Amino acid sequence: MNKHFCPAPWLTFFTQPNGEVYSCCVGKTSLGNINDRTPEQIIHGPANLEIKQKMLAGESVEGCRACHGKEASLQQDLLRMFRDVPDEFYQDINNFSLKYYDSRVSNTCNFACVYCGPVFSSTWAAELNQQHDIRIDKKEKTDVKSYLIDNVQYLEQVYLAGGEPLMMKENEQLLLAIKEQGNKIKKVLVNTNLSMIKNNKIFDLLTEIPATQWVVSMESRGKIYEYIRYPGDWEIFKKNLLHLKEVCPARKDITFNMVLCALNGFELWDTVDWLMDEGFIPETISINLYNMGVPSKVNTLDIQVLSDEFRKKIIARIESDQRYQLFRGYFDVLDHLKKPRYDSEWITKFTRYLYWIDKRRGLDSRRVFPEVYADLESLTVDKPIKLD
């Protein structure tokens, strides 16, 4: 088996908010920018053709390393999604059929989650006094829309993300085109913070399309939720989630995208338990767990900043319930928690980051995360944390 092969360069189209096009959302090799070239020119351009050639030759593609050797990866998802595509189709690097579209046409979002940033959040950008409306130029966006509408009959799956997809007018137009085709599409996957559903035309359209599946972004409750997913309101989110449960035709069509970081090592699992108490059980729901840390770059909020003792308690908490093993990414999470902790310099980076967050937003992370601060301060007795 060719472990480096992936269907993405032959079947998918992914746009970043700034117009950059990649084979998929985790790919690191730009195929071109939609502000400079048409979708067809990018799809059949030299960058995409080179990726195809390398994959067919069994060579590693540098920009595709995010999926290599992962228990849960987009590469494996796409292989399962399109297992019916004949092998002969992939043998010609000039072949392309738009079967999967990943839409992130702007960074429009009403949240500024602590682990996000201005590229995917206009609220973050506004807070940092940066250009807060990153999107594809109007003319080129029309070209993308025309390309999608012209090929909508071939689409099998669509992924709407962002930003916040329930706030993007472009998604309404695409969903209307899908409905006009008779809802023949196999899956419409929407990744949402689920904060804005009342009198929302996009939400209403999605509930009318039988193939819609929901990926709800959340990993905590109460004050922790409101800190991590600033300026979200826990009570509003909870009300919206329970409403979604009522209108969704099948409970299995709701999944959860959860981010594990140093702020929710225990709370994430308590949140999982709450979800199961509300009827989102392992047999019907897949919960995706993502680590903040990546091999090539230590993230400021990575859970590895915490002490070995603290992380051992988290591991014991996780291993106490075998149902968690059904969740996507479970073993990757465990492996990450068991790695040696980072150098103490990351404690300073972590606490300074929260200090800057608190100062800008008028928050108090020490009151929200007292156990985390107590753990870090036990590691810095001889060298107190400086926040200047």
Side-chain angles (χ1 to χ4, degrees):
M1 179 180 177
N2 182 351
K3 65 180 182 180
H4 297 298
F5 173 79
C6 178
W10 283 265
L11 305 176
T12 74
F13 191 75
F14 166 65
T15 53
Q16 287 270 31
N18 62 1
E20 288 295 314
V21 177
Y22 297 82
S23 294
C24 67
C25 63
V26 296
K28 301 302 181 185
T29 301
S30 174
L31 307 181
N33 194 296
I34 207 68
N35 292 314
D36 304 320
R37 303 166 67 195
T38 67
E40 291 90 344
Q41 288 173 333
I42 293 174
I43 287 168
H44 298 291
N48 201 34
L49 295 181
E50 181 181 355
I51 290 174
K52 290 178 178 180
Q53 288 175 326
K54 286 186 175 182
M55 286 184 174
L56 291 177
E59 299 176 14
S60 174
V61 178
E62 182 65 28
C64 298
R65 289 186 178 276
C67 285
H68 290 176
K70 292 288 182 68
E71 168 212 348
S73 69
L74 183 57
Q75 176 194 26
Q76 297 303 317
D77 289 345
L78 292 174
L79 286 169
R80 285 190 292 270
M81 285 182 202
F82 303 113
R83 56 182 175 272
D84 295 334
V85 176
D87 292 341
E88 293 76 18
F89 178 82
Y90 299 114
Q91 298 309 310
D92 187 343
I93 63 172
N94 294 304
N95 282 343
F96 185 86
S97 178
L98 182 63
K99 293 185 178 294
Y100 183 96
Y101 175 55
D102 189 332
S103 172
R104 310 187 193 197
V105 292
S106 84
N107 69 339
T108 301
C109 186
N110 58 328
F111 279 13
C113 300
V114 292
Y115 45 70
C116 193
V119 172
F120 291 106
S121 167
S122 55
T123 301
W124 248 120
E127 182 175 314
L128 297 176
N129 295 317
Q130 297 181 11
Q131 179 185 353
H132 65 271
D133 187 21
I134 301 172
R135 57 175 62 231
I136 300 169
D137 293 341
K138 185 174 181 180
K139 177 187 177 298
E140 283 68 26
K141 189 192 303 181
T142 301
D143 290 343
V144 174
K145 182 175 70 174
S146 298
Y147 176 73
L148 293 173
I149 300 304
D150 291 344
N151 290 274
V152 70
Q153 68 269 29
Y154 305 116
L155 277 172
E156 294 186 11
Q157 301 202 29
V158 169
Y159 182 43
L160 305 180
E164 172 47 49
L166 298 186
M167 297 177 65
M168 299 178 189
K169 185 70 175 180
E170 297 83 3
N171 290 337
E172 181 181 342
Q173 296 165 335
L174 177 58
L175 294 172
L176 284 170
I178 289 172
K179 283 199 69 178
E180 289 173 1
Q181 286 289 320
N183 290 330
K184 298 176 183 178
I185 198 164
K186 293 181 180 179
K187 182 190 292 186
V188 177
L189 192 65
V190 55
N191 191 328
T192 174
N193 61 37
L194 207 65
S195 64
M196 303 175 65
I197 67 173
K198 188 176 182 180
N199 300 321
N200 187 309
K201 291 183 179 179
I202 299 173
F203 177 81
D204 293 340
L205 277 169
L206 286 164
T207 60
E208 295 167 4
I209 296 175
T212 297
Q213 295 185 18
W214 300 84
V215 179
V216 179
S217 295
M218 62 91 70
E219 60 282 294
S220 49
R221 303 159 300 154
K223 295 299 181 182
I224 297 179
Y225 169 90
E226 293 174 350
Y227 189 97
I228 292 178
R229 293 191 166 270
Y230 177 86
D233 184 302
W234 167 247
E235 291 301 325
I236 290 176
F237 171 82
K238 183 168 64 171
K239 180 180 179 181
N240 290 348
L241 178 61
L242 298 181
H243 175 70
L244 179 63
K245 184 172 68 170
E246 291 177 2
V247 301
C248 201
R251 198 70 53 78
K252 65 180 177 60
D253 292 332
I254 305 174
T255 63
F256 295 87
N257 188 6
M258 311 183 87
V259 177
L260 175 69
C261 67
L263 301 177
N264 64 353
F266 287 105
E267 172 59 24
L268 184 146
W269 306 97
D270 293 341
T271 302
V272 165
D273 290 347
W274 176 79
L275 288 171
M276 291 192 288
D277 289 342
E278 291 294 334
F280 301 102
I281 57 178
E283 288 76 13
T284 58
I285 290 297
S286 169
I287 299 181
N288 302 313
L289 305 174
Y290 293 101
N291 301 315
M292 288 302 297
V294 292
S296 60
K297 182 180 180 181
V298 178
N299 190 291
T300 306
L301 297 178
D302 196 309
I303 200 166
Q304 290 300 108
V305 73
L306 301 175
S307 70
D308 294 342
E309 291 73 19
F310 198 99
R311 285 181 290 112
K312 285 178 181 177
K313 292 178 182 177
I314 296 173
I315 293 169
R317 167 76 172 85
I318 296 171
E319 293 180 331
S320 68
D321 194 329
Q322 293 186 347
R323 293 176 299 174
Y324 299 159
Q325 296 182 26
L326 299 174
F327 303 155
R328 174 190 174 102
Y330 170 85
F331 293 103
D332 287 339
V333 166
L334 273 186
D335 288 344
H336 188 72
L337 281 166
K338 293 177 180 178
K339 293 177 182 176
R341 67 177 299 276
Y342 296 136
D343 188 273
S344 58
E345 68 178 277
W346 290 104
I347 295 177
T348 301
K349 293 184 179 182
F350 173 83
T351 50
R352 280 180 175 172
Y353 180 70
L354 295 188
Y355 172 75
W356 291 326
I357 290 278
D358 291 351
K359 190 174 181 179
R360 283 200 304 269
R361 299 177 178 178
L363 303 175
D364 187 350
S365 56
R366 284 184 174 272
R367 297 187 67 177
V368 181
F369 310 103
E371 292 182 350
V372 171
Y373 274 95
D375 179 65
L376 296 181
E377 287 169 354
S378 72
L379 294 170
T380 57
V381 175
D382 298 328
K383 296 181 180 180
I385 300 168
K386 295 182 179 180
L387 299 178
D388 53 1

